[in-house]
Amino acid sequence: MGLRITTWNVNGIRNPFSYQPWRDKKTFASMFDVLEADVVVFQETKIQRKDLQDDMVLVPGWDCYFSLPRHKKGYSGVVIYTRQSVCAPIRAEEGITGVLCPSNSSTKFVDLPEEEQIGGYPTYNQLANSPVDATTLDSEGRCVVLEFPAFVLLGVYSPANRDESRDDFRLGFLNLLEARVRNLIAMGKRVVLTGDLNISREELDTANAEASMRKNGFTEKEYASTPARRLFNQLLKDGKVFGERDEGREEPVLWDITRGFHPTREGMFTCWEQKKNARPGNFGSRIDYVLCSLDMKDWFCDSNIQEGLLGSDHCPVYATMKNRIVVDGKEVHVRDVMNPTGMFLDGQRQRDYSMKHMLPLSGKLIPEFDRRRSIRDMFSKPSLPKEESTGSSMAVQANTPLPVPTDEVVGGRRAATGDGQRDEIEPTSPLPPIQATAPFKSASPKLMSAGNKRSPIETSSNRPLKRAKSGSSAPASNGAGKGQQSLKGFFKPKAASRGEAIGNRIAEVTNYTPSGDSGAVMLQPAAEIVERDEGVHTSRQAAALTPPEKAVSVHAAARLSPLNSSQSTSKTPHATSKGAVQEQDDVHDPVESKESWSKLFTKPAAPRCEGHNEPCISLLTKKSGINCGRSFWMCPRPLGPTGTKEKNTQWRCQTFIWCSDWNGGVT
């Protein structure tokens, strides 16, 4: 197989690692091997300079060239990876206008010496016609340009057609991109343009063409003549152009490689809307391309989409070059013209790839990654010769102060004695905790010398000791509780104070003294008080919890005169009911509280769709209008090939319920 170029909008450079087959190894080298690619162009990396990491820059056997957004975080971004064993560019640039500067330089690409330029930069007149200035267009990290001896490769992420506020930026970018391509070809250079262009070429390249024309009231001519689509079709051979071509665009200059190999294939889509789950039903668009100059048409032997590879809302698209191609009337091996002169001869390597072949834009020359091959190099040092290593270690030992002699035993291990011997004492049981305010005794009188300097042992002993781990620490005191462990604990009665509360309740009854002529209050047995307050204890448990002295007071109060008992009969119901109401306000029923919170936090049962009797899914309305922010239920199945809700099919049915109108099946 010859050289393969693959383009893929990954929607986040690490996003594919959440899917198979990338999930197992999660390395870029293994990903490139699965893609079987030699040049990989990623769009929408969604990272900034500070987010670069070793595994994405220091890929073994690969070089990389980044274009990252200057201002917006997590936005756009393009990177091109090249397999060093197959190809190596001779020049590299960032941006399409040439107004940016190379790494570690203040000179713009357009101002570099001619032999260091790629060339083809938009002219002054072409820049003047753009509604957006060149610096702004190139500040979002949307283009990387590599030049090989065979051709110039442009990896591009074109702005999407989101809303009218970005129309000027989008058209300005596309106009200058087309100008750069045409200028390069006019210089005699071949061009390969690849990436996410965010333009569907014609009706065959999108499943939503009819619905879009019907929604906007377009005819087929008007649909093909929208500004971006008309510009794109004038760039392509066999592009659908109505009317006379625009000035300066009289001739097409690029060939759509994938469509060239599959001219009538329907449903060859590369992008699907994830919110609608449109990929299983293949309701999408073809907006990712590999295009080449017309004189390179015969260089390619295969091109296709890889819709089976998951990892993004796009799928990879590749184009494969032949092993031997015709360049300027001479047949050569493709590797001979994809590397600097003299590195390959008839497909055989003559010189190894080295650091001197790296270009200033290479990611491996970024200061954070320069002169490093992998993360292990950060922790490894070149080993010294054996003699030098031994000598240096002896010198270190000679300059190292001897340990302080002491007879103190610290932590169950005896320190070094004055004669240099060390006795080991293994602790047989955990030592009691050491008070942080009690310092160790001085190890030696010599340490208390002039200058009032403290010994290292004494100084360190004054520091508070670290708390031991839970597995080895002493048990906590009985008075300390664990605290509230969960939300349910808020509603549970405190078990530790239950006996005290019962005693207090009995004391309140026994110590009550009526005022006036009301007489004494009728007393209730302690068992009844416990049963009323707790609801779960028996009279025997209450008696066990009641202190002896309070129990005696109860029996003594029960022997009151019949007169007082009869006089208090009329007051008892009122006092009892008042106390019961107060107790009901203070006590929470754990069972009732648990049920209330469960109802509050439990999601309502999802309704079932009408067409398949399957649980619906809940989505949020984000479209501006009166319903923005409202949630609704709909069929969980993906959209079908028609892109509309269907009846009596395997695709999404017409079930639609506002969440506010659904009570979870409760009547």
Side-chain angles (χ1 to χ4, degrees):
M1 184 178 69
L3 183 140
R4 172 177 285 191
I5 302 172
T6 297
T7 177
W8 192 9
N9 182 322
V10 290
N11 194 24
I13 193 167
R14 295 193 181 278
N15 192 44
F17 294 142
S18 301
Y19 300 82
Q20 290 290 3
W22 334 106
R23 185 185 300 168
D24 295 335
K25 295 185 178 180
K26 292 187 178 181
T27 64
F28 289 91
S30 62
M31 178 192 296
F32 301 153
D33 290 340
V34 173
L35 292 173
E36 298 181 338
D38 303 301
V39 178
V40 180
V41 186
F42 282 161
Q43 303 91 44
E44 272 200 282
T45 56
K46 294 186 177 182
I47 57 173
Q48 291 181 302
R49 167 78 175 268
K50 63 182 180 62
D51 301 319
L52 292 174
Q53 298 182 10
D54 286 14
D55 64 330
M56 66 178 66
V57 176
L58 305 177
V59 183
W62 290 79
D63 208 345
C64 57
Y65 306 88
F66 286 89
S67 178
L68 304 175
R70 263 53 173 180
H71 309 294
K72 293 187 178 182
K73 182 180 180 181
Y75 185 77
S76 66
V78 174
V79 59
I80 299 180
Y81 289 91
T82 58
R83 193 187 295 269
Q84 296 172 342
S85 62
V86 177
C87 58
I90 56 177
R91 298 181 185 88
E93 293 181 2
E94 179 184 5
I96 59 176
T97 62
V99 299
L100 300 181
C101 301
S103 302
N104 303 321
S105 175
S106 59
T107 305
K108 300 178 181 179
F109 288 111
V110 68
D111 297 331
L112 291 174
E114 187 174 349
E115 61 274 10
E116 299 179 15
Q117 294 180 355
I118 293 179
Y121 309 107
T123 63
Y124 176 80
N125 292 333
Q126 291 170 334
L127 291 172
N129 293 330
S130 174
V132 183
D133 64 280
T135 304
T136 302
L137 286 174
D138 281 341
S139 66
E140 294 189 357
R142 294 185 174 274
C143 182
V144 174
V145 186
L146 301 184
E147 182 175 5
F148 301 90
F151 56 82
V152 176
L153 173 66
L154 289 88
V156 174
Y157 174 50
S158 176
N161 185 22
R162 300 295 183 189
D163 52 63
E164 296 180 357
S165 63
R166 295 275 290 177
D167 284 350
D168 288 344
F169 187 94
R170 183 174 188 242
L171 291 176
F173 183 90
L174 291 174
N175 276 300
L176 293 183
L177 175 62
E178 187 224 16
R180 183 76 185 269
V181 170
R182 289 185 179 274
N183 293 347
L184 285 169
I185 294 176
M187 293 174 59
K189 295 188 176 183
R190 303 175 187 85
V191 174
V192 173
L193 174 61
T194 182
D196 178 7
L197 300 183
N198 268 310
I199 305 174
S200 56
R201 178 176 169 180
E202 54 187 71
E203 296 90 332
L204 187 62
D205 296 302
T206 176
N208 196 36
E210 293 184 4
S212 178
M213 288 189 289
R214 185 168 55 252
K215 178 181 178 180
N216 297 302
F218 287 166
T219 62
E220 181 181 355
K221 178 180 178 180
E222 292 172 334
Y223 178 80
S225 299
T226 54
R229 189 170 289 109
R230 178 177 174 83
L231 184 153
F232 185 49
N233 276 296
Q234 291 184 97
L235 195 63
L236 298 176
K237 182 176 177 58
D238 299 329
K240 184 180 290 187
V241 180
F242 290 90
E244 295 184 1
R245 288 177 171 265
D246 300 340
E247 183 179 356
R249 299 167 178 163
E250 292 82 6
E251 296 295 332
V253 293
L254 296 179
W255 183 56
D256 186 351
I257 304 175
T258 311
R259 179 56 72 189
F261 280 93
H262 310 276
T264 60
R265 178 178 170 184
E266 297 181 357
M268 191 169 61
F269 305 138
T270 63
C271 177
W272 303 265
E273 190 171 350
Q274 286 184 317
K275 294 179 181 179
K276 295 182 178 180
N277 194 18
R279 188 165 186 169
N282 196 27
F283 185 78
S285 301
R286 187 171 78 98
I287 58 178
D288 303 88
Y289 300 89
V290 182
L291 314 174
C292 70
S293 301
L294 297 180
D295 55 352
M296 296 176 61
K297 183 177 178 180
D298 296 332
W299 289 16
F300 292 88
C301 60
D302 185 26
S303 180
N304 208 337
I305 65 173
Q306 295 177 288
E307 69 275 21
L309 292 178
L310 303 179
S312 170
D313 55 341
H314 294 245
C315 75
V317 181
Y318 71 88
T320 305
M321 300 177 65
K322 301 175 182 177
N323 277 327
R324 306 192 69 84
I325 58 178
V326 177
V327 180
D328 298 330
K330 181 180 178 181
E331 184 178 297
V332 296
H333 196 282
V334 66
R335 296 189 181 183
D336 296 354
V337 292
M338 290 298 294
N339 290 273
T341 304
M343 186 169 288
F344 276 86
L345 179 62
D346 198 23
Q348 301 298 320
R349 180 174 290 279
Q350 305 298 311
R351 290 186 289 117
D352 291 333
Y353 187 88
S354 62
M355 291 288 295
K356 68 178 183 180
H357 297 105
M358 290 187 179
L359 303 176
L361 194 64
S362 171
K364 294 187 175 182
L365 295 183
I366 297 175
E368 303 93 285
F369 308 99
D370 191 12
R371 305 294 176 180
R372 283 176 41 213
R373 290 173 295 176
S374 67
I375 194 172
R376 288 178 295 181
D377 295 344
M378 298 174 60
F379 305 99
S380 62
K381 296 181 180 179
S383 58
L384 296 175
K386 185 175 182 180
E387 296 180 358
E388 296 181 7
S389 176
T390 305
S392 61
S393 62
M394 293 176 64
V396 171
Q397 293 177 3
N399 295 329
T400 304
L402 295 175
V404 179
T406 179
D407 293 334
E408 298 291 335
V409 177
V410 180
R413 186 179 299 274
R414 186 178 299 277
T417 59
D419 57 359
Q421 297 178 353
R422 184 179 298 271
D423 297 332
E424 301 292 340
I425 301 178
E426 296 297 335
T428 57
S429 62
L431 294 178
I434 302 174
Q435 299 294 333
T437 57
F440 291 109
K441 295 181 179 180
S442 176
S444 174
K446 296 181 181 180
L447 297 177
M448 304 300 293
S449 58
N452 296 328
K453 295 183 179 180
R454 292 186 177 184
S455 65
I457 300 178
E458 183 180 358
T459 303
S460 62
S461 65
N462 290 331
R463 299 175 183 173
L465 298 178
K466 294 183 178 180
R467 182 178 296 177
K469 295 183 178 180
S470 59
S472 60
S473 61
S477 61
N478 297 333
K482 295 183 179 180
Q484 181 178 326
Q485 301 296 326
S486 65
L487 185 61
K488 296 180 180 179
F490 179 77
F491 304 100
K492 292 182 179 180
K494 295 182 179 179
S497 61
R498 182 178 301 159
E500 182 180 354
I502 296 172
N504 292 338
R505 296 296 300 165
I506 298 176
E508 291 176 3
V509 176
T510 57
N511 295 332
Y512 176 77
T513 302
S515 60
D517 299 332
S518 59
V521 174
M522 181 180 294
L523 299 179
Q524 294 178 342
E528 296 182 8
I529 297 175
V530 176
E531 290 176 355
R532 182 186 64 189
D533 287 346
E534 300 296 329
V536 294
H537 296 283
T538 63
S539 59
R540 182 177 300 175
Q541 291 172 328
L545 292 174
T546 305
E549 61 275 9
K550 295 187 182 295
V552 173
S553 299
V554 173
H555 292 293
R559 294 194 295 270
L560 293 175
S561 61
L563 177 62
N564 293 339
S565 301
S566 61
Q567 290 177 354
S568 63
T569 304
S570 60
K571 297 291 184 177
T572 301
H574 176 71
T576 304
S577 60
K578 182 177 180 181
V581 172
Q582 183 177 1
E583 291 167 8
Q584 291 176 359
D585 294 339
D586 296 339
V587 178
H588 297 278
D589 185 359
V591 178
E592 182 180 356
S593 300
K594 181 179 179 181
E595 293 177 354
S596 301
W597 281 100
S598 299
K599 292 179 181 179
L600 180 62
F601 289 108
T602 302
K603 294 183 179 180
R608 292 185 174 271
C609 65
E610 300 174 358
H612 314 97
N613 196 29
E614 297 177 358
C616 294
I617 58 174
S618 177
L619 299 177
L620 182 68
T621 305
K622 295 185 177 180
K623 186 178 181 180
S624 58
I626 60 174
N627 291 322
C628 183
R630 295 186 65 185
S631 299
F632 59 91
W633 298 100
M634 64 182 300
C635 178
R637 296 202 176 190
L639 280 176
T642 61
T644 59
K645 299 176 181 179
E646 305 174 5
K647 290 184 178 180
N648 302 323
T649 65
Q650 61 176 329
W651 306 110
R652 182 176 298 169
C653 65
Q654 298 179 340
T655 302
F656 181 91
I657 305 172
W658 289 112
C659 290
S660 58
D661 298 336
W662 174 252
N663 59 2
V666 179
T667 57

